[in-house]
Coordinates of all heavy atoms in Angstrom, one line a residue:
C188 N -14.7 19.4 -4.1 CA -15.6 20.4 -4.6 C -14.8 21.6 -5.0 O -13.9 22.1 -4.3 CB -16.6 20.7 -3.5 SG -17.8 22.0 -4.1
D189 N -15.2 22.2 -6.1 CA -14.6 23.5 -6.6 C -15.4 24.7 -6.5 O -15.1 25.8 -7.0 CB -14.2 23.3 -8.1 CG -13.1 22.4 -8.4 OD1 -12.4 22.0 -7.4 OD2 -12.8 22.1 -9.6
N190 N -16.6 24.5 -5.8 CA -17.6 25.6 -5.9 C -17.4 26.8 -4.9 O -17.8 27.9 -5.1 CB -19.0 25.1 -5.8 CG -19.3 24.3 -7.0 OD1 -19.2 24.8 -8.1 ND2 -19.7 23.0 -6.9
F191 N -16.8 26.5 -3.8 CA -16.5 27.5 -2.7 C -17.7 28.4 -2.4 O -17.7 29.6 -2.5 CB -15.3 28.4 -3.2 CG -14.0 27.6 -3.1 CD1 -13.5 27.0 -4.2 CD2 -13.3 27.5 -1.9 CE1 -12.3 26.3 -4.2 CE2 -12.1 26.8 -1.8 CZ -11.6 26.2 -3.0
C192 N -18.9 27.7 -2.1 CA -20.0 28.5 -1.6 C -19.4 29.2 -0.3 O -18.7 28.6 0.4 CB -21.1 27.6 -1.3 SG -21.7 26.6 -2.7
Y194 N -20.2 29.9 2.6 CA -20.4 29.5 4.0 C -19.7 28.1 4.2 O -19.6 27.7 5.4 CB -21.9 29.3 4.3 CG -22.6 28.5 3.2 CD1 -22.5 27.1 3.2 CD2 -23.2 29.1 2.1 CE1 -23.1 26.4 2.1 CE2 -23.8 28.4 1.1 CZ -23.8 27.0 1.1 OH -24.3 26.3 0.1
C195 N -19.2 27.4 3.2 CA -19.0 26.0 3.3 C -17.5 25.6 3.4 O -16.6 26.1 2.7 CB -19.6 25.4 2.0 SG -19.5 23.6 2.0
I196 N -17.3 24.7 4.3 CA -15.9 24.2 4.6 C -15.5 23.1 3.7 O -14.3 22.8 3.6 CB -15.8 23.8 6.1 CG1 -14.4 23.7 6.6 CG2 -16.6 22.5 6.4 CD1 -13.7 25.0 6.9
V197 N -16.5 22.4 3.0 CA -16.1 21.2 2.3 C -15.0 21.4 1.3 O -14.1 20.5 1.3 CB -17.4 20.6 1.6 CG1 -17.1 19.5 0.7 CG2 -18.4 20.2 2.7
P198 N -14.9 22.4 0.4 CA -13.8 22.5 -0.5 C -12.4 22.6 0.2 O -11.4 22.2 -0.4 CB -14.1 23.8 -1.2 CG -15.5 24.1 -1.1 CD -15.9 23.5 0.3
Q232 N -20.2 15.9 -4.4 CA -20.6 17.2 -3.9 C -21.4 17.9 -4.9 O -22.3 18.7 -4.6 CB -19.5 18.0 -3.3 CG -18.8 17.4 -2.1 CD -19.7 17.2 -0.9 OE1 -20.8 17.8 -0.9 NE2 -19.3 16.4 0.0
N233 N -21.1 17.7 -6.2 CA -21.8 18.3 -7.3 C -21.7 17.4 -8.5 O -20.9 17.5 -9.3 CB -21.2 19.7 -7.6 CG -21.9 20.3 -8.8 OD1 -23.0 19.8 -9.3 ND2 -21.3 21.3 -9.4
H269 N -26.0 20.5 -8.1 CA -25.9 21.9 -7.9 C -26.8 22.6 -8.9 O -26.6 22.3 -10.1 CB -24.5 22.4 -8.0 CG -24.2 23.8 -7.5 ND1 -25.0 24.9 -7.9 CD2 -23.4 24.2 -6.5 CE1 -24.5 25.9 -7.3 NE2 -23.6 25.6 -6.4
Q296 N -30.8 26.5 -0.9 CA -30.1 27.3 0.2 C -30.9 28.5 0.6 O -31.0 28.8 1.8 CB -28.6 27.6 -0.1 CG -27.8 26.5 -0.7 CD -27.6 25.3 0.3 OE1 -28.1 25.3 1.4 NE2 -27.0 24.2 -0.2
R308 N -23.6 31.2 -4.8 CA -24.2 30.0 -5.4 C -24.2 30.1 -6.9 O -24.5 29.1 -7.6 CB -25.6 29.8 -4.8 CG -25.6 29.4 -3.4 CD -25.1 28.0 -3.2 NE -26.1 27.0 -3.6 CZ -25.8 25.7 -3.5 NH1 -24.7 25.2 -3.1 NH2 -26.7 24.8 -3.9
Ligands
SF4_502 FE1 -20.2 23.2 -0.1 FE2 -21.1 24.5 -2.2 FE3 -19.4 22.6 -2.6 FE4 -21.8 22.0 -1.8 S1 -21.3 22.9 -3.8 S2 -19.9 21.1 -1.0 S3 -22.4 23.6 -0.5 S4 -19.0 24.5 -1.5

Side-chain angles (χ1 to χ4, degrees):
C188 182
D189 285 355
N190 290 308
F191 291 95
C192 302
Y194 50 82
C195 184
I196 197 73
V197 172
Q232 293 302 341
N233 175 14
H269 195 304
Q296 313 297 356
R308 288 291 284 180

